[in-house]
Amino acid sequence: MISRILIIDYGSQFTQLIARRVREARVYSEIHPPSRTADWIRDWAPTGIILSGGPNSVYAADAPRLDPEVLDIAPVLAICYGMQLVAHMAGGVVQRGAREYGRAAVRVIDPGALFAGFDAGESFEVWASHGDHVDAPPEGFVVTATSAGNPVTAMRHESRPIHCVQFHPEVAHTPRGSEIVANFLFEICHAKPTWTPGAFIEDEIRRIRQLVGGQKVICGLSGGVDSSVAAALVHRAIGDQLTCVFVDTGLMRLHEREQVERMFRSSMGMHLVSVDATARFLGALAGVEDPEQKRKIIGHTFIDVFEDATAEHAVGAAFLVQGTLYPDVIESAAPSGGPSVTIKTHHNVGGLKPDMTFALIEPLRELFKDEVRHVGRELGLPEEMVGRHPFPGPGLAIRILSDVDETKLGVLRKADAIYLEEIRRAGLYDDIWQAFAVLLPVRSVGVMGDERTYDHVLGLRAVTSTDGMTADWFPFPHDVLAHISNRIIREVDGVNRVVYDVSSKPPATIEWE
C-alpha cells in the first residue's frame, strides 16, 4: 500500500509548502480541511498526519478544532497552531499574545526521533511566525527543544507518536527543516518513498484505461506545460482514441503553432486538429483596450471555436481532458480525496455551454507544477516544452497595453522571441520563473541613423518565484540586458526604447494587465 500523509489545513500561508516538502521526499500527501471527521480520516488510512499552522488563537470561539480521536489514528506532527491546539486539548498552558516572528535560534534538548541527527544542546536556525505559544507542556509530554523567546519550542508525547514544533520546518528559512520533515516521515511514520513520476504514470494509465474503455476523448491543447503533459499522459494510455484540438488564436508567440504541430503530430503521432481562428479573434478584439474586456472576449471566442471544432472533429467524444493541477483544486474547493482521475458528468467546464455534457479526465489534479514537469520528462517530452515559462491564456493580447492589431502583435512577437532567445543563450532561462516583453501605449523620440524616430517603448519583465504567488525581479547581468536591448532596437521595426521592470510582487503583479 502506498504511503500517504494527510495534512490538515488550519489556514497557514505555508500549508502548500508542507505538502511540497513531503512530496519532495517521495511520499504522497494531500491537504484537507479541519472539518474532516475522525471516521473519514480513519477510512482514508493515512501513514501520518500533519497539523498545519494558522492565524487563529485556540481561545477564539470560532477557532478550528480537532477531534481527539485523530491523535490515535496515525503518528502526528503538529506545527505552530497545530501544536497549540494539541497542547490546549491535552490540558497544557497556551500563553496568549506573545508574538514571535522571524528567525530564531532553537536549542535541542531531546535528540532522536524528530531530531534524529541533531546533538543534545545543539542550536539551529528556524523561522517562527506565531502569536500564542505553549508555556507549559501538557501531562505526558516532554520538551524536546527550546529557544530564548519560547521555553517550549518543541515537545513530544512520552509514549504516543505525537510530535509538536512551534516553528515552521517546511520553509526555506529553516535550513534543516527538510531533515525534520524526513525524520517524521521515515523515523516516526516509517513511510516508504515510492511517490515517483514513473509510479504515478503507471497508476494513471491503468485508471484512465479502466474509466474510458473504448470511448473517444477530446483535449484542448494550448501548447503550455499542463495541457501538453495531460495530453501526453492520456495518449500514452489510450492512443488514437484521443483527439487534441489546438486553437490558433493569432495571439501566440512566434512559431508557436508550428512547434505544437511538429511535436504532437509529427514526433508523438497524436491525432491533432489545428484551427486557425486568427481573423475571428482579432475581429472580436478590434478597438478594445480594457484588459478585463479583452479576457472576456478571448474566453468567449475560444469557447465558440472549440465547440465548433468538437462538433466537426470529435463527434461522439464522451470525455474532456483538462490540465487541472493540485493548487487549483485546493484553491477552488476542499478536495474530497478519491482517485486522481476524476469523473464529473454534465460538468460546465471552463464556461462551456451546459448542453456539452462531457465527463472530465483530470490526470494531473494531484500534482504541483514541478511534479507535472517531472512527469512530462518521464513521458519523454522535450525539455523545451516541460521547462518553458508560464504563458497566459489570453496570450499576447494582455501584453499589448492598448488595442490589439496585427502590426502590434508582430512587433511584440518578434521582440519577445529575441528576449527569450538571448536569455537562453546566456544560460539564464532556467533561473527565471517567467520572462516576457510588454508593448506599452507610449511612444518616445529617438534617433536611428540620422533620422528622428517616434516609436514604441517596450517593457521587459523577468521574475523569480516558486509558485507565482510572490515574485522578485531577476537581477540580469548588465551586459546581458544591454545586449538584449540593443538587439531589439536594432532588429524590431517600431521600437526605439527598451525599459526593464524592477518591481516585485507584491505590490506589483507579474503580468502588467
Side-chain angles (χ1 to χ4, degrees):
M1 182 177 177
I2 186 173
S3 298
R4 51 187 191 168
I5 301 298
L6 174 66
I7 299 165
I8 299 180
D9 181 15
Y10 287 101
S12 171
Q13 62 181 315
F14 303 131
T15 300
Q16 286 196 32
L17 274 179
I18 300 173
R20 292 172 70 92
R21 294 296 172 261
V22 173
R23 292 187 180 195
E24 285 169 2
R26 295 168 57 187
V27 177
Y28 180 67
S29 63
E30 277 188 19
I31 298 170
H32 286 265
S35 56
R36 296 301 186 205
T37 65
D39 286 340
W40 186 96
I41 294 172
R42 196 175 286 108
D43 290 342
W44 199 79
T47 308
I49 299 170
I50 298 179
L51 311 181
S52 85
N56 295 282
S57 168
V58 294
Y59 295 107
D62 59 349
R65 303 299 180 187
L66 178 72
D67 188 328
E69 290 184 30
V70 172
L71 299 178
D72 293 320
I73 294 174
V76 172
L77 172 60
I79 297 172
C80 197
Y81 176 81
M83 172 173 173
Q84 297 158 23
L85 187 58
V86 169
H88 183 63
M89 290 167 50
V93 178
V94 178
Q95 179 69 39
R96 304 186 68 171
R99 181 166 177 76
E100 186 177 42
Y101 182 83
R103 300 181 191 278
V106 169
R107 182 171 60 86
V108 176
I109 296 174
D110 180 16
L114 196 64
F115 295 112
F118 292 74
D119 296 326
E122 178 180 355
S123 291
F124 65 101
E125 189 176 79
V126 304
W127 184 261
S129 179
H130 59 92
D132 298 355
H133 72 269
V134 178
D135 201 49
E139 184 178 350
F141 282 79
V142 297
V143 177
T144 55
T146 187
S147 70
N150 191 355
V152 189
T153 302
M155 65 183 190
R156 65 169 176 83
H157 195 275
E158 292 177 328
S159 58
R160 298 159 68 192
I162 303 172
H163 298 260
C164 308
V165 295
Q166 191 57 75
F167 57 88
H168 291 277
E170 70 272 23
V171 303
H173 295 308
T174 302
R176 297 188 68 178
S178 59
E179 294 179 51
I180 295 170
V181 172
N183 284 338
F184 175 69
L185 297 176
F186 305 120
E187 298 291 330
I188 296 167
C189 298
H190 305 293
K192 305 297 182 185
T194 56
W195 177 249
T196 64
F200 170 82
I201 291 169
E202 289 180 10
D203 195 35
E204 292 305 301
I205 287 174
R206 177 183 56 79
R207 292 180 181 179
I208 292 167
R209 287 173 177 167
Q210 182 179 4
L211 288 163
V212 171
Q215 298 184 85
K216 294 181 180 179
V217 178
I218 189 169
C219 175
L221 185 63
S222 69
V225 176
D226 303 338
S227 71
S228 298
V229 174
L233 180 53
V234 174
H235 183 257
R236 175 76 65 88
I238 61 172
D240 289 343
Q241 292 171 244
L242 173 68
T243 296
C244 291
V245 176
F246 174 75
V247 177
D248 184 354
T249 63
L251 308 171
M252 315 301 288
R253 289 166 285 197
L254 191 66
H255 305 312
E256 185 121 32
R257 177 177 175 177
E258 294 89 335
Q259 291 171 354
V260 169
E261 290 177 340
R262 182 174 63 252
M263 180 175 303
F264 290 96
R265 184 181 291 156
S266 302
S267 299
M268 301 187 67
M270 285 190 189
H271 180 210
L272 174 65
V273 175
S274 290
V275 180
D276 187 351
T278 300
R280 196 164 170 178
F281 279 90
L282 293 187
L285 287 168
V288 177
E289 295 188 7
D290 179 75
E292 282 307 307
Q293 192 177 354
K294 286 181 188 177
R295 291 177 185 272
K296 289 178 181 178
I297 289 171
I298 293 167
H300 293 158
T301 304
F302 182 88
I303 291 167
D304 291 340
V305 173
F306 186 78
E307 288 179 348
D308 291 346
T310 300
E312 182 179 354
H313 299 285
V315 177
F319 297 88
L320 174 67
V321 178
Q322 286 198 157
T324 307
L325 303 190
Y326 195 43
D328 303 325
V329 176
I330 297 168
E331 290 165 9
S332 62
S336 59
S340 55
V341 178
T342 298
I343 298 301
K344 301 178 184 176
T345 55
H346 301 277
H347 186 77
N348 190 8
V349 185
L352 296 179
K353 296 175 183 175
D355 60 349
M356 295 192 73
T357 54
F358 291 114
L360 287 187
I361 299 177
E362 297 174 301
L364 308 180
R365 65 179 280 116
E366 290 180 348
L367 304 184
F368 289 103
K369 189 77 169 189
D370 55 337
E371 294 172 324
V372 173
R373 297 187 196 278
H374 294 325
V375 169
R377 293 182 181 103
E378 188 79 14
L379 288 167
L381 291 177
E383 188 62 32
E384 66 182 39
M385 172 61 71
V386 296
R388 72 188 315 185
H389 293 172
F391 187 67
L396 298 179
I398 62 166
R399 294 176 179 174
I400 296 175
L401 306 191
S402 61
D403 61 313
V404 180
D405 59 36
E406 278 284 14
T407 300
K408 293 176 182 176
L409 282 166
V411 170
L412 180 56
R413 194 174 281 124
K414 187 171 183 180
D416 192 69
I418 291 171
Y419 184 29
L420 297 181
E421 179 184 321
E422 289 300 329
I423 289 173
R424 285 191 173 95
R425 182 171 291 158
L428 300 173
Y429 188 86
D430 293 336
D431 297 331
I432 298 170
W433 194 77
Q434 189 174 11
F436 56 90
V438 181
L439 192 63
L440 305 182
V442 177
R443 291 179 180 268
S444 70
V445 174
V447 178
M448 303 186 78
D450 294 324
E451 296 183 2
R452 177 185 182 275
T453 61
Y454 190 60
D455 284 332
H456 288 286
V457 177
L458 188 86
L460 301 180
R461 182 79 157 134
V463 297
T464 58
S465 181
T466 55
D467 53 15
M469 300 301 293
T470 61
D472 291 320
W473 59 276
F474 182 75
F476 276 112
H478 291 177
D479 59 332
V480 173
L481 204 55
H483 181 63
I484 292 169
S485 174
N486 289 338
R487 269 203 68 189
I488 290 172
I489 292 172
R490 187 174 67 249
E491 298 178 29
V492 181
D493 291 337
V495 175
N496 67 0
R497 192 179 300 270
V498 174
V499 296
Y500 185 57
D501 183 350
V502 293
S503 51
S504 297
K505 177 186 179 182
T509 54
I510 295 177
E511 296 282 351
W512 281 42
E513 286 194 354

